[in-house]
């Protein structure tokens, strides 16, 4: 991508494609595998989920839970977990909003909620959101998930999850961040889902070449810079970091996280060296011209989530709705969540893949 284009960026968001059919981000499910929780973090988070809150049972359902677990946050978590655990049974017909699992899904959302999925425009209301999940349950009735790293911050809930689903006979697992803004009763009034659609299409699209193929630490044991994890991300860094994403400033983005371990789409193993992280970001900006603005931020005791959303122009076509979530975790964890599919496939290719995915 030409760097000259970056000097003309405006911070805006636009709608994209395929959301109505791909609205499965919240519902893709699985058993998660992740880092263990330190005794101190467990003690702190467990104290937040007290018996008085009526939310004590949630702790055992997720790997890490941080923040102030207010009554509305607790109500949301219970609904989110219920949907993940509810079996589909006989898949619903398209538009069957009375199917038990569809009802469990819609119970998460306010009647006028909006839901944004990777690559699409926002859907509004139970009818649109419900129709989408019925389509998903038809081709992926076994979808499951379990919460991984979850942070509540006021009315903002960042729900990390590891999803598992069978695609054309292939078991597929992939991470996702479900970002929710909650009402007083714990219903989601605005949601965005961040995950890599390429992981779903990979079993049926051998012609697609993964964007980050070949990116790895030359010497995984060689950690560069001074010892110790990066300092915790602060709210006063948001403006500068947004500017770094929008200008493709690899040095600023990677330099801030010099001692972090980067987990991101397309990586078989986390990147620990500055050279590896720099190569990853350069590959990204060679294929993505992003126009982002700051979204929601959630600060926990050890973990911070930061959301950036807007559009991307890639070598494959015009502006597409796009977003990135960064997770800054304990002990030097740095995780990126975004969709690589529009960076490696154009609209016609994605439409063809969608037909393969949904046809028997």
């Amino acid at each position: 991508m030409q760097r000259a284009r970056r000097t003309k960026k405006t911070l805006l968001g636009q709608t994209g494609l395929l959301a109505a059919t791909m609205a499965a981000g919240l519902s893709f499910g699985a058993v998660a595998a992740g880092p263990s929780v330190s005794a101190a973090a467990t003690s702190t988070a467990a104290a937040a989920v007290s018996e008085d809150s009526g939310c004590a049972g949630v702790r055992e359902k997720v790997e890490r839970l941080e923040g102030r677990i207010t009554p509305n946050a607790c109500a949301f978590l219970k609904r989110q977990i219920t949907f993940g655990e509810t079996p589909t049974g006989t898949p619903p017909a398209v538009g069957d909003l009375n199917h038990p699992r569809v009802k469990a899904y819609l119970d998460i959302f306010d009647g006028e909620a909006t839901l944004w999925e990777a690559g699409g425009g926002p859907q509004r209301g139970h009818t649109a959101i419900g129709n989408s999940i019925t389509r998903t349950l038809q081709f992926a009735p076994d979808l499951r998930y379990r919460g991984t790293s979850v942070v509540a911050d006021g009315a903002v809930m960042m729900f990390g999850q590891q999803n598992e689903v069978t695609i054309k006979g292939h078991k597929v697992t992939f991470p996702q961040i479900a970002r929710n803004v909650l009402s007083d009763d714990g219903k989601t009034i605005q949601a965005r889902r961040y995950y890599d659609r390429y992981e779903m299409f990979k079993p049926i699209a051998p012609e697609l070449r993964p964007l980050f193929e070949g990116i790895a630490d030359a010497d995984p044991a060689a950690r560069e810079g001074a010892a110790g994890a990066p300092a915790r991300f602060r709210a006063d860094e948001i403006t500068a970091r947004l500017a770094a994403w929008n200008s493709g400033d690899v040095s600023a983005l990677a330099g801030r996280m010099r001692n972090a371990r980067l987990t991101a789409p397309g990586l078989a193993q986390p990147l620990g060296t500055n050279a590896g992280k720099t190569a990853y970001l350069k590959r990204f900006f060679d294929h993505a011209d992003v126009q982002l603005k700051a979204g929601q931020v959630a600060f926990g005791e050890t973990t911070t989530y930061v959301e950036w959303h807007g559009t991307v122009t890639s070598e494959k076509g015009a502006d597409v709705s796009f977003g990135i979530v960064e997770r800054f975790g304990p002990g030097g964890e740095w995780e990126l969540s975004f969709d690589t599919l529009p960076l490696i496939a154009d609209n016609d290719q994605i439409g063809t893949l969608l037909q393969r995915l949904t046809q028997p």
Side-chain angles (χ1 to χ4, degrees):
M1 304 295 291
Q2 295 182 358
R3 290 289 187 260
R5 196 184 311 172
R6 303 191 193 285
T7 64
K8 300 179 180 179
K9 294 188 183 298
T10 58
L11 305 182
L12 50 85
Q14 296 181 10
T15 59
L17 67 157
L18 299 178
T21 313
M22 294 304 297
L26 177 60
S27 50
F28 281 118
V31 177
S36 61
V37 183
S38 69
T42 301
S43 175
T44 301
V49 189
S50 66
E51 293 290 346
D52 291 340
S53 73
C55 213
V58 168
R59 156 63 46 188
E60 65 193 40
K61 302 289 188 177
V62 300
E63 291 182 8
R64 182 188 299 274
L65 177 60
E66 301 182 11
R68 286 190 306 112
I69 313 303
T70 55
N72 64 332
C74 179
F76 165 82
L77 287 168
K78 289 180 176 180
R79 294 183 182 114
Q80 177 94 351
I81 290 167
T82 294
F83 173 74
E85 293 179 341
T86 300
T88 299
T90 302
V94 173
D96 180 6
L97 306 189
N98 290 314
H99 184 281
R101 196 164 196 204
V102 176
K103 290 175 69 174
Y105 184 73
L106 291 177
D107 191 43
I108 297 169
F109 297 93
D110 179 83
E112 297 300 317
T114 57
L115 169 64
W116 175 90
E117 295 284 348
Q123 304 161 78
R124 180 180 294 277
H126 275 192
T127 299
I129 295 171
N131 286 340
S132 293
I133 195 61
T134 60
R135 295 186 183 96
T136 299
L137 292 174
Q138 285 189 328
F139 75 81
D142 68 333
L143 59 88
R144 286 287 187 273
Y145 60 77
R146 180 176 172 84
T148 53
S149 181
V150 181
V151 174
D153 191 346
V156 176
M157 177 69 69
M158 294 287 196
F159 192 94
Q161 60 192 66
Q162 187 74 12
N163 301 328
E164 183 178 283
V165 66
T166 302
I167 301 293
K168 300 295 185 180
H170 299 271
K171 284 287 186 183
V172 178
T173 64
F174 58 95
Q176 176 188 300
I177 305 300
R179 190 282 267 159
N180 296 268
V181 177
L182 308 179
S183 64
D184 288 348
D185 61 359
K187 298 280 189 175
T188 293
I189 56 178
Q190 188 197 59
R192 294 194 182 103
R193 308 289 179 242
Y194 294 89
Y195 54 95
D196 186 8
R197 288 180 295 164
Y198 171 71
E199 294 299 324
M200 291 185 293
F201 288 117
K202 183 164 57 175
I204 61 171
E207 71 273 22
L208 288 183
R209 185 172 180 177
L211 180 61
F212 298 103
E213 187 175 37
I215 299 292
D217 286 326
D219 180 4
R223 298 292 302 279
E224 300 181 18
R232 290 202 62 191
F233 187 84
R234 306 182 313 275
D236 61 8
E237 297 182 71
I238 290 174
T239 299
R241 196 152 184 89
L242 174 61
W245 279 111
N246 279 327
S247 63
D249 191 340
V250 171
S251 295
L253 293 169
R256 169 64 174 81
M257 307 305 295
R258 177 171 290 274
N259 296 309
R261 298 180 303 279
L262 173 61
T263 301
L267 293 177
Q269 298 292 333
L271 298 174
T273 66
N274 193 56
K277 288 173 283 190
T278 297
Y280 184 93
L281 291 171
K282 284 184 176 178
R283 179 76 60 83
F284 174 81
F285 287 117
D286 282 344
H287 292 80
D289 187 23
V290 294
Q291 298 181 354
L292 304 173
K293 57 184 177 182
Q296 299 294 334
V297 181
F299 291 92
E301 287 80 15
T302 69
T303 302
T304 301
Y305 280 101
V306 183
E307 176 193 36
W308 317 106
H309 65 95
T311 62
V312 64
T313 302
S314 76
E315 295 176 333
K316 295 296 180 179
D319 289 354
V320 174
S321 183
F322 187 75
I324 300 170
V325 168
E326 295 189 82
R327 183 178 74 90
F328 306 100
E333 298 170 19
W334 179 29
E335 180 180 7
L336 301 179
S337 299
F338 61 90
D339 182 22
T340 70
L341 190 62
L343 310 183
I344 59 176
D346 61 28
N347 291 355
D348 290 340
Q349 288 175 299
I350 293 173
T352 298
L353 293 175
L354 183 60
Q355 290 180 354
R356 290 185 204 170
L357 187 68
T358 57
Q359 291 175 350

